[in-house]
Amino acid sequence: MVQIHIKEDFAELMLDLKPQIALFNLHGETLAPYKNTLLKNWSGLYKKHFGKRGALNEEKREIVFTKWINLFLDALKMQNLEPHYKAMVEFGRELTDMGISLEEIIFSLHFFEEVSMPLLMKYYPDKKKLTKMVFALDMLFHNELACLSMAYFYRYRSEIARLEKMKDDLTHMIVHDLKNPVSVMSIAADSLLEDIKRDGQIKDTQYLEIISGSSRNTWQMVNNLLDINKMEQGKFILHKAPGRIEPLIEEIINEVSPRLESKKVKISFLRGNVPEFSFDRDIIRRVISNLLDNALKFSSEGGAVTIESRHEKGKVFVSVHNNGPEIKKADTERIFEKFGQAGLAASGKVHGTGLGLTFCKMAVEAGGGKISVASGKSG
């Protein structure tokens, strides 16, 4: 929670309203009995101006405006407004969490001025007195808007910091995560060339396998990053066609078989005889490959990985299970975020970019599906 020190943070924004306290108390006596009328007219002006493009639907609008007017009426009774300013900052944080724009806040404040004006004119027919009352009220609205704006400032500052960190993480990924497979390919290629120069032929295909595997990993990283960017911009296009998913899963298992042998991991495929359905073969291949790679990466030597397919109530389910370390409940959502990692990956004990599961989630959801993770003490 953001701690606000009014005297420091608001020194240049807040107007001194101590001389207006007596007028505010009169405002409170005048406006409090008309709370429901104010709410109804306030809500109506908001709906008329914003329509469907506003973030506040009927239910949310009632909740937000009710809390707002309660804060306002409480402030009019106060002798010291500092607690009110702090409450308004926290209220502003709630509004940002609800996705309400600063434009909506500013207009809503103007709407409230508009609906309260007829009441003030009714109770203060003298123009000089009315002008004085309205001026005092405008000063309070100014300070409230400053509080709400400060809440948005803190939110945007946090968002900027998050984006800066994401940029740094991306730079780190490019420099380190892409550097590793490229370095491996370079070393393997140099060794291969030395063998050819010395013997005039390739005696061992191991270097070719290393180059092939590293180039495939690099290509997958780049594709994940590019496709995530497309999906974020709404430019990702799926090419669906009827097909069977189980032969595809078997192909993927065969592709990773060399890695299974080196790590002594046993893989099982429980086929559910899923009928033919329409899906993007290339994208689903990459999704399942990512999930299988992840399962293998976090499997202990001599462990087991199980892939299961089934068809139920018109839906196709594919699950990948391993016997690796537990994923904490707090991390089950974060691992799908861009550059989000958990457990061994976050500690650096297992290498990863934090992009594979992000791609999986966005790709599956782009096709109208769902992806989730469940973890026990093992697997």
Side-chain angles (χ1 to χ4, degrees), residues 84-290:
H84 174 62
Y85 297 150
K86 292 182 178 180
M88 288 301 292
V89 172
E90 292 307 315
F91 180 55
R93 285 169 54 81
E94 292 178 29
L95 297 179
T96 64
D97 289 340
M98 295 173 70
I100 302 169
S101 67
L102 192 56
E103 177 198 11
E104 290 176 74
I105 296 304
I106 294 171
F107 271 95
S108 295
L109 198 55
H110 289 321
F111 297 154
F112 185 75
E113 287 185 86
E114 191 174 329
V115 298
S116 62
M117 186 59 68
L119 289 172
L120 295 176
M121 292 175 69
K122 176 182 177 181
Y123 280 87
Y124 307 107
D126 180 86
K127 287 186 178 181
K128 287 186 177 180
K129 195 169 186 179
L130 176 64
T131 301
K132 191 175 182 181
M133 297 296 282
V134 171
F135 178 71
L137 199 60
D138 280 343
M139 292 174 70
L140 179 59
F141 286 150
H142 173 282
N143 282 6
E144 287 191 335
L145 184 58
C147 293
L148 293 170
S149 299
M150 187 59 70
Y152 276 76
F153 165 75
Y154 277 109
R155 168 53 56 89
Y156 293 144
R157 187 176 68 176
S158 300
E159 182 65 12
I160 289 170
R162 186 186 72 82
L163 292 173
E164 285 289 335
K165 184 179 184 302
M166 185 177 289
K167 184 194 75 173
D168 292 340
D169 288 342
L170 177 58
T171 303
H172 180 274
M173 187 273 287
I174 292 172
V175 172
H176 291 86
D177 298 337
L178 287 179
K179 179 182 176 183
N180 289 338
V182 172
S183 297
V184 169
M185 283 188 285
S186 178
I187 293 170
D190 289 342
S191 300
L192 192 61
L193 286 171
E194 287 179 11
D195 285 355
I196 294 172
K197 289 177 182 178
R198 184 179 60 249
D199 302 322
Q201 59 181 339
I202 299 174
K203 290 185 176 181
D204 192 346
T205 60
Q206 181 182 6
Y207 294 129
L208 291 174
E209 291 171 0
I210 291 172
I211 293 171
S212 176
S214 295
S215 62
R216 186 170 56 251
N217 289 339
T218 305
W219 184 246
Q220 183 171 304
M221 282 187 233
V222 173
N223 272 341
N224 284 345
L225 190 56
L226 291 174
D227 286 338
I228 288 169
N229 186 53
K230 286 181 184 177
M231 284 185 269
E232 288 176 334
Q233 294 179 10
K235 298 178 180 178
F236 189 71
I237 299 173
L238 292 173
H239 301 283
K240 293 185 178 183
R244 298 182 67 89
I245 198 168
E246 287 163 340
L248 176 63
I249 294 173
E250 290 175 340
E251 287 178 23
I252 297 169
I253 292 172
N254 290 332
E255 287 173 4
V256 300
S257 57
R259 291 173 54 196
L260 296 174
E261 293 174 6
S262 62
K263 205 170 182 180
K264 298 179 181 178
V265 173
K266 182 181 178 182
I267 190 164
S268 303
F269 179 26
L270 305 180
R271 297 172 61 105
N273 294 319
V274 175
E276 188 177 85
F277 69 102
S278 185
F279 63 98
D280 188 316
R281 182 180 174 85
D282 290 337
I283 294 301
I284 295 302
R285 171 189 283 276
R286 286 172 57 194
V287 168
I288 296 174
S289 293
N290 266 302

